[in-house]
Amino acid sequence: MLDITDLYQDIIVDHNRSPRNFGKLENATRVAEGYNPLCGDRLTIYLNLNSGNIKDVRFEGSGCAISVASASLMTEHLQGKTIEEAETIFENFHTLLTKDHVQANMAVLGKLAALSGVKEYPVRVKCATLCWHTLRSALEGKETAVSTE
Amino acid sequence: MSRAIDSTAARLRQVPPALDVERLRAEFPILKQKVHGKPLVYLDNAATTQKPQSVIDVLGRYYGEINSNIHRGIHTLSQRATHDYEEARAKVQRFISAHSSKEIVFVRGTTEAINLVAQSYARPRLRSGDDIIISEMEHHSNIVPWQLLCEQTGAILKVIPINDAGELIIEEYKNLLGDRTKIVNIAHVSNALGTINPIKAIIEIAHAHNVPVLVDGAQGVPHLRVDVQDLDCDFYAFSGHKLFGPTGVGVLFGKAALLDAMPPYQGGGDMIKAVTFKKTIYNDLPYKFEAGTPHIAGVIALGTAIDYVSGIGLDAIATHEHDLLDYAINAATEIPGLRLIGTARQKTSIFSFVMDGIHPHDLGTVLDNEGVAIRTGHHCAMPVMEHFGVPATARASFALYNTRREIDYLIAGIKKACQVLM
Ligand SMILES: Cc1ncc(COP(=O)(O)O)c(C=O)c1O
């Protein structure tokens, strides 16, 4: 039997209720929008990039607790990281949420490990990864909104 | 004293007998299972209903004993299959009080029925600048086929607005109806709000302008007695799977005179009388609209589902469902921050709501963990969500086999979600 508090750990509830790095980034060099039509979750990622480094990252939007907490934790975790580091973290995060036989490198994930419970809820994986897909599109400088569907 | 007894007796005579819900539940094998270790509480009946054993058995019996193609074989099995298939058509005819079984066309579901009417009835009649009326509370399947048609013909889509209770604003409807209106398409009951629309009045108003009306009855037939002659509707569409029948089968009722004048929707076998490369003569109603091998087992099982519902009686079902709805609404007042979406005076057993600070999706996950199945999302009615300024709602929808105890589980689950998420 699944314990629901493995999914909604305190840290996730906290980041949902008081999201960090929430709100527009005025001097953003990249902006991307993400949309999950299934849930109606929408978010915007603002990036300030400086020669391959994430100087600042913020987000705005609305969605379920998983998507808001994931975006909040992501922005906290990525401050000051390089683009390559961000890619590595996303890959490991994706592994954590979706792969049965591959171990994610927990060392690079830090607090993001709190979202590991999502793995037991496959329909919610998209909620947790929406912010990451949106981040990637911001990093790639794409203009169109990403959609999980 | 004696007067009180008299009036109680009178009331008892009017009220249909209470359902023996425990006995009914026993006929639905799926309800016996556990989900995440908890007894399944299935409250997503507006999406699809569960199937009684009689319907499940008929599907098995068809493939085990009768399976054969219809209307084309001389052999015994084909005759039996044809007989049962046509008998199901007669059951549908009686169920919705159609004048003739020729007016009953089997389709895949409500969606296909609406597309059929859009393309075969409306499209040849529409000129650029004509208009089509729908309402703000329609399911996407009664919006998108009309939008496609507008793109194809240059017609204009007009939308009857709703008020904040989730009721159609009839005055606005009257203003929208004009010389160039060619068809009105309205849900009998809204799937997102539960509102029962005054379709008889809506039809009367349209007919005063010589405009035909299609009623999307997907959420109507499972809850209300439908008499298409009394309503005088021109088209009525519904799906088998929301009426305790199988998926992949549904019904389009159309007045014979209208169906007769319409070109076929699809071409193929069964819908013709004679084919040469010079000219093809179409079959009579309703076969003209049933090209190809249909879902024979599904149609027959839909007939069984109709027998099932008729055997219990829609009035008794509606009384039971209303009791559940009242019970849920009353229990919900205990939960701070719960807001009902859809508070029409006339509504079916749809309990749609949002919670302060809790996204419907999170609520749905917590409830699922408790074995309680509800729908969360936009319910294929995004314009309704927009009207109420929410991205999604949580929706519990009740059917004849649900109980007050199950609503207690729902309420307990909502309280648990508040604990976990707040
Ligand atoms: C009001 C309404 N109309 C149309 C439909 C579409 O029915 P189906 O998907 O069976 O074609 C539904 C079902 O979700 C509905 O609730």
Side-chain angles (χ1 to χ4, degrees), chain B residues 46-47 109-112 114 139 141 187 189 191 216 218-219 239 241-242:
Chain B
T110 309
T111 303
E112 188 175 50
I114 295 171
H139 188 280
S141 66
V189 173
N191 68 310
D216 168 356
Q219 302 291 343
S239 300
H241 69 97
K242 295 183 198 279

Side-chain angles (χ1 to χ4, degrees), chain B residues 10 143 300 400:
Chain B
I143 302 176
I300 296 170
L400 57 92

Side-chain angles (χ1 to χ4, degrees), chain B residues 223-421:
Chain B
H223 306 285
L224 305 166
R225 247 191 297 160
V226 172
D227 179 332
V228 291
Q229 291 188 75
D230 177 57
L231 291 171
D232 198 23
C233 60
D234 301 280
F235 299 102
Y236 194 99
F238 66 94
S239 300
H241 69 97
K242 295 183 198 279
L243 187 67
F244 311 99
T247 59
V249 61
V251 170
L252 172 68
F253 157 83
K255 283 182 179 165
L258 295 178
L259 290 177
D260 248 334
M262 286 157 57
Y265 177 52
Q266 294 182 326
D270 269 348
M271 51 75 68
I272 48 85
K273 272 189 174 154
V275 176
T276 67
F277 287 114
K278 283 220 186 72
K279 186 167 173 55
T280 289
I281 301 168
Y282 304 134
N283 207 335
D284 298 326
L285 290 181
Y287 311 110
K288 183 169 87 174
F289 293 105
E290 293 181 3
T293 303
H295 184 4
I296 305 169
V299 164
I300 296 170
L302 172 58
T304 308
I306 286 174
D307 289 341
Y308 181 79
V309 172
S310 308
I312 299 167
L314 275 165
D315 292 340
I317 292 171
T319 303
H320 175 67
E321 290 173 345
H322 272 117
D323 175 69
L324 295 176
L325 182 66
D326 290 345
Y327 185 77
I329 290 173
N330 191 42
T333 55
E334 293 170 24
I335 300 175
L338 186 150
R339 173 162 73 107
L340 288 177
I341 302 288
T343 49
R345 280 156 291 183
Q346 300 289 323
K347 61 178 282 187
T348 59
S349 52
I350 281 177
F351 180 71
S352 200
F353 63 98
V354 292
M355 300 278 305
D356 275 349
I358 299 182
H359 192 280
H361 250 72
D362 296 311
L363 181 62
T365 293
V366 175
L367 286 171
D368 178 57
N369 229 51
E370 299 294 311
V372 180
I374 63 160
R375 174 86 183 265
T376 59
H378 51 59
H379 318 296
C380 297
M382 289 173 91
V384 171
M385 301 299 113
E386 199 175 316
H387 179 95
F388 288 95
V390 296
T393 76
R395 180 189 71 187
S397 48
F398 311 128
L400 57 92
Y401 40 64
N402 291 125
T403 63
R404 285 185 172 202
R405 192 155 50 122
E406 288 183 304
I407 291 170
D408 293 339
Y409 287 129
L410 168 70
I411 299 291
I414 298 172
K415 287 179 180 164
K416 170 144 193 187
C418 295
Q419 254 171 34
V420 171
L421 292 161

Side-chain angles (χ1 to χ4, degrees), chain A residues 1-2 8 17 65 121 124, chain B residues 36 361-362 365 369 420 422:
Chain A
M1 210 188 303
L2 300 171
Y8 295 110
R17 286 173 53 190
Y121 300 83
R124 306 301 301 275
Chain B
H36 300 304
H361 250 72
D362 296 311
T365 293
N369 229 51
V420 171
M422 304 277 268

